[in-house]
Amino acid sequence: MGKYVDRPRYGCALGGALSLLRAIPRAIPIIHSSTGCGYNVYNGINAGAAYLGGGYCGGAALPSSNIIERNVVFGGEDRLAEQVEKTIEIMDGDIYVIVTGCMVEMIGDDIYSVAREFEENDKPVIPVSTPSFQGNSYTGYDMVFSALVKEYVEAEEEKKVCKVNVIGIVPGEDVFYKGNLKEIKRILGLIGIDSNTFVGEGETLDNFKGAGNASLTIVLSDVYGVETAKVFEEIHKIPYLLTGLPIGYLQVENFLYEVGEALNIDNEVIEKALEAEKETYFDYFERITDIYNDIDLQRYGIVVADANYAPSVSRFISDELGWLPQLAMITDFLTEDQKSRLESRFENYDSELKPLVKFDTDASAVKKYIRELWPADQNERYYDALGPGFILGSVIERDFADEFNYPLLSIAFPVTNRVIFNRSYAGINGALTLTEDIFSLLVAGR
Amino acid sequence: MSYQVESSAPAREERLKAGIAFGGTCRELKCSMNKGGCLNAANRSFSQTYGCQFTLSLGILNTIRNAVVIMHGPIGCGFCSTATIGTGKFYKRLRDPQANGTIWLSTNLDESAVIGGGEESLRKTVLFADKEYRPETIIVVSSCVPALIGDDVDGIVQSLQSDVAAKLVPVNCEGFKTKVMATAYDAAYNGIMKKLVNPYGEWRKLTESDKDNIDRDYRISRKVNIFNVGSMSRQDEVELERLLKALGLEVTFLPCYSEPDDFSISLEAALNVSICGTHDDYYLQFLKENFGIPYIIDTIPIGRKNTDRWILKIAEFFHLEDEAKSLIEKENEILNKSLDTFREILKGKKVFIGGGEVRILSTAEVLQDFNMEIVGLKGHHIDKFVEPIFESLENIDDVSINIATQHPFEQANIVRKIKPDVIVIHTGGNNISAKHGLPILPLYGPSYNYMGYTGVFEIGRRLARVVKNYQFNKNIKKYRPLPFKESWYEKNPYTYIKEN
């Protein structure tokens, strides 16, 4: 049985499904559910993803069958068929994707047979079952993505040696998804890899259609997109590699060698590419060496984030910023296997430190873990407090930040206190931006 | 308790014969309303998403102070609360500087709960909420899934009550039950009626002198509860309070941003006054029947005529007509002059207004006051509560009106045909509305003043600013297309409305 969640940092499967579709140009979702599901999810994603907006066909524009009690009693398939027909008539798109809410799944509507009625349509109509009692936004991303891999990606026998598919960053849930994909694409380009990131800048539905000829799927995650990668392997015979999300020069170095090994790229090529990157990167880092050491900008770091950001950000603040990582709380639903895989991401820090790693979905848990890792003030004359601290989390950590008087940089969903366009925290340029944002908070009062 | 409350609020399509699909002129709408029936049954063969009972009831429930809200459903129900993490706390603190932000939990019903029932999940969540946060009240809002699996939420809550310190309030608002999203307000009130309305009134001192008694009775005889709405601002409340205080009345605002005890304390009042008929008739009728408190549901105090009328109705109840008339006269005199500069800028501009039925028509009165021309209206739903507001409008019979909850596809078609200069509209569909390339003023806003006399001035001030530069929306129109096929614009905008 699922455990309750104190202030969830994700929507339902339908939410993840709609966020992915929101990121694909000219994709038209057709929601088969009651009236409020689409609107509810839009409100959560829009604000939580730093004002992502409804885009082309989101928000109140989302086509939705809006089933009512009568449909729940007698079935909603006729209503769905009518809705699909009219959606195609009115909405101008290149692909129509039927996604579902809980109640139509519970009454057993067969969306697959309804979709078959539209097989002859010149634009594809693809049904995806996305019941929210089966998972959260991250699950919904995998549900829609793997359906597209099955139904829409064209089969290609011949693989292109240096072409990779990049997945595992969930649009919206990763507030920086577009900037991150852009940076990952740039880094891979440095060693001659042509990467397909599906929903990055300038990418379209054709990036889905033509994904069958890649020779590797890079999953920038230990958790998200893994199901999709498996479908790529099974149907299109493309192997996959789980890399996590590289943040900072050191992680990018590992990332490139890892990818290089999988694709048999010469180490020399990678070394040469890194040489130039290193020069640029540390040239910028050198700028803050003065202020960092002038006024002591080392901090105790507390990271509360999803399975992609928490491990990478913790390692980054430890091994590149020279901070003391105290707590890394990963806020997702995870299986034991996923947990142990993620645990291993916190091993072998260059700093030889290790944060307390916790898997907990509840907003209220952060404070308890702080208590667990740091002795409470027993009214001693001299108390060694956990400070100065710094939180990398979401806006849900704001109350905690206020209480402990720690600065908070919102990096993980929900990020309602910022507007994010193409900013990235991944890779090399992303780490520079992350460093800018962190230290900007520390000098904001000066 | 001596009164009975039904276990959940009835859908408004049944209770009020509310309609959600209509296209025509205001004259035609008024005729259909008089006939009744057909308007109520209409629906669409193509529909777009809009708020359900669940999401909308959170507009009230998430604002209650010293409360924890439990979303009883799968993980996504209540996800919209993310959007008010920051603002919710800010607005609560305008009423109580110590207030917490909204704390909400999801029972996270999964597949096993769908098969085996959600009772255990709910029990654990309630116990956790009570122990962790020690709130005064825990509000359990249940979505479609518990209704479908047949969870007896009222029963579960009842059996848990003795295990917790907080008052448990069950709110049943499964989304599929109604197509009229305003039923949400009744659902929220239904929960409040069941658990938070206890007739003890104010706390009394142990000993009271006769004078204390007389003072209190006098105060109660002048006390008015104003039923606010989540879409209004603290500034609106301050303005309405100013006007009623000028008549010597004492004012309390409910239900948004209230403290749980306020619902009981408010039972000691002379009169309940609704701000917006869309919100409170269900609850005010209940208070009248069970506690004998009379109520006024008339117009909304937006626009000069509506505000005049709203004040007068209240004044009549207290036999303060003369005082009210003199207040109204003075207020109008000062306000009227101050509007001239805005009238100069706005005169003759054609405006399209979309949103809740009561808001759009009252805002139309304001815009007519600025000598603007109303060319199109769009209301979320329609019921009898618009009648008094229609009366405040001039030359409205031939104006086009579309009854559609959101549904921006109909709006896009209409806007292209009627070519307004300005749009005043509800939130949620502005990724579409912006692409009409016109200046947009939000129809409401919890951080701006729209109500009372100062509200008229504020609307004018902002509208006159908004029309001065709308390059942002012009560029968006130019570079980002709307998602509708060209053929759609050639059709009648009401093509997809069907009688059911």
Side-chain angles (χ1 to χ4, degrees):
Chain A
M1 193 177 61
K3 189 191 132 305
Y4 56 79
V5 180
D6 179 0
R7 277 160 286 176
R9 297 147 201 269
Y10 20 75
C12 48
L14 179 66
L18 291 172
S19 321
L20 176 57
L21 295 172
R22 158 77 182 80
I24 304 172
R26 294 180 54 77
I28 308 287
I30 302 173
I31 303 170
H32 185 34
S33 194
S34 69
T35 57
C37 294
Y39 198 64
N40 166 48
V41 157
Y42 156 74
N43 277 303
I45 290 282
N46 172 43
Y51 307 96
L52 183 59
Y56 181 65
C57 188
L62 284 165
S64 171
S65 63
N66 295 354
I67 58 151
I68 49 173
E69 205 152 18
R70 192 181 58 235
N71 308 116
V72 169
V73 177
F74 298 107
E77 289 168 19
D78 291 348
R79 173 69 197 103
L80 175 62
E82 177 185 56
Q83 178 70 15
V84 175
E85 183 199 328
K86 305 300 181 192
T87 302
I88 294 169
E89 217 169 278
I90 298 169
M91 306 302 277
D92 186 12
D94 291 333
I95 188 172
Y96 298 85
V97 182
I98 302 171
V99 287
T100 57
C102 301
M103 65 301 296
V104 303
E105 295 286 342
M106 291 172 71
I107 61 176
D109 275 3
D110 183 358
I111 60 166
Y112 296 90
S113 73
V114 172
R116 270 195 295 279
E117 294 173 30
F118 299 91
E119 264 172 357
E120 302 302 308
N121 192 51
D122 60 340
K123 304 283 170 64
V125 176
I126 295 178
V128 191
S129 193
T130 54
S132 296
F133 48 78
Q134 283 179 0
N136 63 10
S137 300
Y138 297 109
T139 322
Y141 164 85
D142 259 331
M143 286 167 166
V144 171
F145 212 137
S146 49
L148 291 174
V149 174
K150 278 182 208 157
E151 309 285 330
Y152 192 70
V153 173
E154 287 178 351
E156 283 284 354
E157 282 305 312
E158 195 118 336
K159 306 298 178 194
K160 280 178 136 176
V161 182
C162 270
K163 183 181 168 187
V164 301
N165 291 329
V166 178
I167 63 173
I169 289 187
V170 179
E173 277 293 330
D174 183 338
V175 177
F176 305 89
Y177 82 94
K178 217 157 189 170
N180 284 348
L181 291 175
K182 185 180 185 176
E183 172 66 0
I184 296 295
K185 197 180 184 106
R186 186 189 74 85
I187 292 172
L188 290 170
L190 296 173
I191 60 168
I193 295 173
D194 171 21
S195 46
N196 173 17
T197 63
F198 297 92
V199 291
E201 283 180 8
E203 293 182 316
T204 65
L205 254 183
D206 290 341
N207 289 75
F208 283 83
K209 195 177 257 177
N213 65 358
S215 51
L216 180 70
T217 302
I218 296 175
V219 188
L220 297 167
S221 177
D222 292 301
V223 181
Y224 324 135
V226 177
E227 290 309 310
T228 306
K230 286 178 183 164
V231 176
F232 263 123
E233 183 171 54
E234 190 188 322
I235 297 187
H236 300 279
K237 310 290 172 242
I238 303 172
Y240 66 90
L241 178 69
L242 308 184
T243 63
L245 181 69
I247 296 179
Y249 175 78
L250 300 176
Q251 292 174 44
V252 166
E253 208 174 58
N254 282 336
F255 172 72
L256 286 185
Y257 283 119
E258 214 180 338
V259 172
E261 196 187 322
L263 292 172
N264 294 318
I265 292 171
D266 233 4
N267 274 359
E268 270 172 44
V269 175
I270 300 173
E271 276 158 29
K272 197 159 164 253
L274 284 170
E275 201 52 49
E277 287 297 305
K278 188 161 43 181
E279 183 56 32
T280 314
Y281 185 76
F282 286 104
D283 173 55
Y284 283 117
F285 253 72
E286 194 179 17
R287 292 190 187 192
I288 55 163
T289 49
D290 306 50
I291 189 75
Y292 183 106
N293 293 293
D294 284 347
I295 63 169
D296 176 16
L297 290 180
Q298 188 185 56
R299 294 291 180 265
Y300 290 106
I302 293 152
V303 181
V304 183
D306 65 18
N308 281 7
Y309 279 98
S312 307
V313 169
S314 283
R315 188 180 287 271
F316 175 75
I317 60 170
S318 157
D319 289 357
E320 300 214 24
L321 299 188
W323 285 13
L324 307 173
Q326 293 299 308
L327 171 68
M329 186 171 111
I330 301 179
T331 52
D332 293 325
F333 301 147
L334 298 163
T335 62
E336 290 309 312
D337 280 355
Q338 288 169 331
K339 284 181 188 171
S340 66
R341 199 180 152 78
L342 286 165
E343 287 268 13
S344 71
R345 294 258 177 220
F346 294 89
E347 302 294 339
N348 305 319
Y349 279 16
D350 290 347
S351 65
E352 295 179 6
L353 298 169
K354 190 186 174 193
L356 176 66
V357 180
K358 289 288 176 183
F359 300 96
D360 204 311
T361 56
D362 297 340
S364 53
V366 184
K367 258 173 27 183
K368 290 178 206 159
Y369 295 131
I370 295 292
R371 188 50 66 234
E372 197 175 302
L373 69 88
W374 203 262
D377 183 358
Q378 305 289 344
N379 208 17
E380 292 111 305
R381 175 87 179 264
Y382 295 103
Y383 172 65
D384 176 16
L386 181 63
F390 194 102
I391 308 166
L392 296 123
S394 74
V395 291
I396 292 175
E397 274 62 62
R398 198 150 42 188
D399 288 348
F400 166 64
D402 287 347
E403 193 179 333
F404 281 68
N405 204 15
Y406 296 155
L408 164 69
L409 180 66
S410 47
I411 59 162
F413 193 96
V415 177
T416 55
N417 60 343
R418 307 174 70 181
V419 170
I420 304 293
F421 286 166
N422 58 1
R423 178 171 292 260
S424 161
Y425 283 163
I428 287 180
N429 286 335
L432 289 174
T433 307
L434 177 58
T435 309
E436 277 178 358
D437 290 352
I438 289 173
F439 287 94
S440 292
L441 276 182
L442 295 178
V443 300
R446 293 176 77 87
Chain B
M1 258 172 269
S2 59
Y3 54 89
Q4 285 292 314
V5 180
E6 53 211 332
S7 75
S8 62
R12 286 208 181 175
E13 44 270 60
E14 268 91 56
R15 188 171 69 82
L16 293 173
K17 300 288 169 227
I20 55 156
F22 174 84
T25 62
C26 289
R27 180 187 291 112
E28 288 160 355
L29 178 68
K30 288 185 209 166
C31 288
S32 332
M33 283 174 74
N34 292 338
K35 276 186 242 144
C38 59
L39 194 60
N40 172 236
N43 210 336
R44 286 178 175 77
S45 57
F46 172 75
S47 53
Q48 292 174 300
T49 189
Y50 57 87
C52 62
Q53 279 204 83
F54 192 98
T55 50
L56 226 68
S57 68
L58 295 179
I60 294 176
L61 302 171
N62 277 350
T63 70
I64 307 289
R65 292 186 268 126
N66 300 331
V68 169
V69 180
I70 291 177
M71 317 291 176
H72 184 37
I75 191 70
C77 295
F79 183 42
C80 54
S81 306
T82 305
T84 50
I85 291 176
T87 52
K89 182 170 171 178
F90 178 76
Y91 297 138
K92 278 187 185 178
R93 288 193 166 184
L94 294 176
R95 280 84 176 176
D96 170 10
Q98 302 299 317
N100 282 323
T102 305
I103 296 167
W104 80 94
L105 297 111
S106 166
T107 54
N108 183 24
L109 297 183
D110 61 7
E111 211 143 21
S112 68
V114 165
I115 297 160
E119 177 171 352
E120 199 45 36
S121 299
L122 179 56
R123 173 182 298 275
K124 284 185 176 157
T125 314
V126 168
L127 294 175
F128 169 81
D130 189 63
K131 184 160 164 273
E132 182 70 30
Y133 293 106
R134 289 282 172 223
E136 273 179 57
T137 181
I138 296 174
I139 303 169
V140 177
V141 197
S142 33
S143 75
C144 296
V145 169
L148 273 179
I149 56 185
D151 273 4
D152 171 19
V153 177
D154 282 17
I156 301 168
V157 162
Q158 193 64 44
S159 72
L160 274 171
Q161 184 61 72
S162 55
D163 298 338
V164 296
K167 188 82 170 167
L168 301 180
V169 178
V171 175
N172 298 318
C173 48
E174 57 275 21
F176 63 78
K177 207 178 96 177
T178 173
K179 52 191 182 177
V180 183
M181 68 176 176
T183 305
Y185 304 125
D186 304 343
Y189 277 125
N190 176 265
I192 290 168
M193 278 149 58
K194 280 190 280 196
K195 298 291 175 185
L196 293 181
V197 182
N198 301 307
Y200 66 72
E202 281 183 15
W203 295 103
R204 300 275 193 276
K205 287 182 205 161
L206 279 176
T207 55
E208 273 190 338
S209 67
D210 287 352
K211 184 169 180 302
D212 289 342
N213 263 319
I214 293 163
D215 284 351
R216 197 188 51 247
D217 287 349
Y218 179 75
R219 201 156 37 75
I220 292 170
S221 77
R222 285 285 177 272
K223 197 176 150 203
V224 182
N225 296 316
I226 308 266
F227 286 79
N228 60 6
V229 296
S231 58
M232 67 190 273
S233 63
R234 181 64 195 141
Q235 295 95 305
D236 287 333
E237 291 181 357
V238 169
E239 165 67 356
L240 299 181
E241 188 167 6
R242 176 182 75 88
L243 295 169
L244 297 188
K245 268 192 166 165
L247 301 178
L249 302 175
E250 190 179 317
V251 178
T252 310
F253 290 95
L254 297 160
C256 296
Y257 302 102
S258 294
E259 222 269 332
D261 270 351
D262 291 346
F263 294 96
S264 294
I265 295 169
S266 70
L267 297 178
E268 291 188 327
L271 180 67
N272 287 330
V273 177
S274 163
I275 282 181
C276 172
T278 296
H279 287 71
D280 347 276
D281 74 299
Y282 178 68
Y283 185 56
L284 298 193
Q285 182 61 30
F286 162 82
L287 291 180
K288 184 179 176 187
E289 281 169 14
N290 293 283
F291 299 95
I293 309 172
Y295 67 84
I296 295 178
I297 296 180
D298 195 73
T299 187
I300 189 170
I302 294 178
R304 288 199 290 150
K305 285 186 216 163
N306 287 315
T307 305
D308 295 350
R309 176 173 167 141
W310 190 78
I311 295 173
L312 263 181
K313 292 270 171 189
I314 297 169
E316 277 166 18
F317 177 88
F318 291 100
H319 307 294
L320 296 165
E321 290 96 325
D322 289 344
E323 289 85 341
K325 279 178 190 153
S326 119
L327 172 73
I328 288 167
E329 192 183 330
K330 273 192 197 122
E331 289 289 334
N332 272 280
E333 195 190 316
I334 313 169
L335 174 62
N336 195 21
K337 271 186 275 178
S338 73
L339 299 177
D340 285 343
T341 45
F342 308 138
R343 288 186 181 123
E344 205 49 48
I345 296 165
L346 298 170
K347 144 184 90 187
K349 286 203 187 296
K350 292 192 250 169
V351 59
F352 177 85
I353 313 174
E357 51 167 4
V358 169
R359 277 267 182 180
I360 56 164
L361 293 174
S362 57
T363 305
E365 187 228 303
V366 179
L367 304 188
Q368 284 190 339
D369 201 353
F370 300 149
N371 300 326
M372 297 174 80
E373 186 192 345
I374 314 295
V375 291
L377 294 161
K378 187 179 83 150
H380 284 331
H381 76 279
I382 193 80
D383 58 28
K384 63 180 181 185
F385 294 110
V386 294
E387 283 160 16
I389 308 165
F390 262 127
E391 288 173 26
S392 69
L393 296 171
E394 285 155 22
N395 303 322
I396 203 73
D397 282 352
D398 295 323
V399 172
S400 117
I401 185 161
N402 174 208
I403 297 303
T405 322
Q406 302 286 10
H407 286 88
F409 84 105
E410 282 178 3
Q411 177 191 313
N413 182 313
I414 295 163
V415 164
R416 194 179 294 188
K417 291 190 169 84
I418 63 176
K419 298 187 177 55
D421 303 309
V422 191
I423 293 178
V424 177
I425 199 140
H426 190 276
T427 60
N430 278 325
N431 59 322
I432 300 300
S433 299
K435 290 171 191 162
H436 300 318
L438 298 169
I440 291 180
L441 183 76
L443 179 68
Y444 65 84
S447 50
Y448 290 105
N449 180 201
Y450 286 78
M451 292 182 180
Y453 298 109
T454 57
V456 177
F457 181 79
E458 283 299 311
I459 295 172
R461 201 169 78 82
R462 294 173 64 210
L463 202 52
R465 166 170 59 72
V466 165
V467 298
K468 279 186 190 141
N469 185 355
Y470 53 105
Q471 280 302 122
F472 185 91
N473 286 352
K474 270 195 212 165
N475 289 331
I476 287 291
K477 177 184 180 173
K478 198 162 156 194
Y479 298 111
R480 303 302 290 172
L482 281 165
F484 313 112
K485 288 183 176 167
E486 205 45 43
S487 56
W488 164 232
Y489 298 101
E490 287 150 21
K491 291 185 187 163
N492 180 315
Y494 311 121
T495 305
Y496 295 93
I497 294 179
K498 59 175 187 181
E499 300 294 325
N500 233 349

